[in-house]
Amino acid sequence: MKAFRRNKSLLRVAALLILLIIVTFGTRMTRLHATGQQGTVWVAPSLVRVGPTDAPGTTSFINLSSARGETVDTQIIVTAFAGGLTNVNLSASALTGPGGASIPASSVTLYREYYITVAGTASYGGGSNPPLGSGTYPEPLIPFNDPETGLPLCGTSAVLKACNATVSAGQNQPYWIDISVPHGATNAPPGTYTGSISITADQGTVTVPVTLTVWNFGLPVQPSELALWTGFSPAAGNTVTTLAQALMRNKVMGWYDVAANASSDVTNFGLNRSGLDNYYYIGIHCNGSYSSLPSTSQINAAAANFPAGLGLDFYAGDELNGCTADYTPLRTLSANAHAANHSVKIIFTLNTPDSNLYGVVDHWVLLDSLQQWPALPFTGGGDLWSYTSCNAGFGNAPEWMVDYPPINERIQAGFLNWAEGATGILYYRADGWSAGNTLGSWNNVDTATCEGGHKRPGDGIFLYPPGPIASSESAPGIRLKAIRDGIQDYEYAQILKNLGQVPSLNIAIQPIATSWSNWSHDPNALESARLKLGQLLNQLSPP
């Protein structure tokens, strides 16, 4: 009897252990795969745009690598099955790392992706980079929190909210995740950090595990790659300050900064240049007319409002190809600017550099789609920038409309700019909204402002009006995030160049970014190149 009782007790213990294993395993599977009768949760890379009815992927965890001072991103997608899902929300934990180090939850920025339907790029002229065409794409990003105040937007009267989403049966709802790693080895020592993203709904809760490897090097606060984004006054709902901040959060600089903000913007946002055009709008035309040509003393007075060492410039003229009457005012402006106490440079957009203006123009901003890029190294004085527009040119270079994959934005701002010797990137407008500060501007990005009235979805629109989301600041789009990621890719290359690692750099970059007409459209190839560079920098451990 004692042996029987003993064996019976052992059987009970074994049964309990088996039950515990089953429960634990079941919970683990639910947490990872989040698959049930009503929905599933999965993870996709940031360069993959997920359509409304795309089949669910199989990845159920987040695994990222980052430098200090870098923002890395990914996507979580909630897919509803029969019956749909209601009150879907996301929240992030802090990320815990080596020696008790922590990246706070406030460094994880969450957005709900918003689907827009576009008619597609019209009158495309052929080439190796065709648009995807008409369709429904995720692009604007609705923030959970106001980017300036940090306050939740859920409790507002906003027309669009990130929180409490309803996902209909058979539909996807993607969410964008930004993780910003703090600057400084003290704030973010190298190593592995872990945390989670929680997805809640009326139908249940799912936890997605996050692993972040912080490499042993950092990106500078001020990007090495320069940018000028938007050559227009702010749209309704924006101010110069709010527009500049929405861009700088994504490492892009506006046309000009408010001088009173410049010092703090250098520290807080990495401001690396500003135009003086708020004081003197130049506006040189093909016939030689202009709006103003400030003297050296006037330029000195304007420049004195900005911090010492901040790059300043004038946007002198726009696409004056084949013009000669503009030479005289350009030379006068350049001489006055170059004689100033503060370094002030001349920006000029063309299809290709004009030898008559060597020594006059400092930043040659060239339309890459026309493929008239000069031979490298460029010896005509000044440096090269790239820009794109609604002109698809030969149809080979990256294009930035909604119906192109976001690798177009990222590779131009990053590895292609680097390979082609460009030190800056320009775009003519960021808030060219079709219906002002309203929901209509979110829903209608099929602009027809291109020459000939051709439709170019998203042309001039990289930010979305703050009114519909009740925010103090415009909302970013996925394409702007891709530009930011490209600027960070460029920084990896710049750091390696500074370390004398150009041969290793070229081995990684040249196969995927050979020229404006020969570049890889494969997101995996780009991510692999970035990973190789990051691992090399981690081994070199630059300060």
Side-chain angles (χ1 to χ4, degrees), residues 371-392:
Q371 298 175 200
Q372 298 179 31
W373 203 259
L376 301 177
F378 177 62
T379 58
D383 55 33
L384 304 175
W385 290 25
S386 74
Y387 82 100
T388 189
S389 73
C390 59
N391 185 345

Side-chain angles (χ1 to χ4, degrees), residues 296 299-300 303 335-344:
T296 297
I299 294 173
N300 281 334
N336 293 348
H338 293 166
N341 297 331
H342 195 125
S343 175
V344 178

Side-chain angles (χ1 to χ4, degrees), residues 17-27:
L17 286 172
I18 292 171
L19 179 61
L20 180 60
I21 290 171
I22 292 173
V23 170
T24 302
F25 181 73
T27 302

Side-chain angles (χ1 to χ4, degrees), residues 109-194:
T109 304
L110 307 174
Y111 302 89
R112 180 167 73 89
E113 298 180 21
Y114 188 72
Y115 282 111
I116 55 176
T117 299
V118 301
T121 295
S123 299
Y124 166 73
S128 60
N129 187 32
L132 299 173
S134 300
T136 299
Y137 301 96
E139 160 58 9
L141 299 175
I142 307 171
F144 276 80
N145 296 323
D146 187 293
E148 177 63 18
T149 66
L151 297 175
L153 295 171
C154 189
T156 67
S157 58
V159 176
L160 295 178
K161 296 181 181 180
C163 61
N164 302 330
T166 297
V167 186
S168 300
Q171 297 293 305
N172 294 321
Q173 176 55 70
Y175 292 86
W176 188 272
I177 319 295
D178 271 350
I179 302 177
S180 298
V181 179
H183 289 276
T186 301
N187 296 323
T192 300
Y193 292 71
T194 57

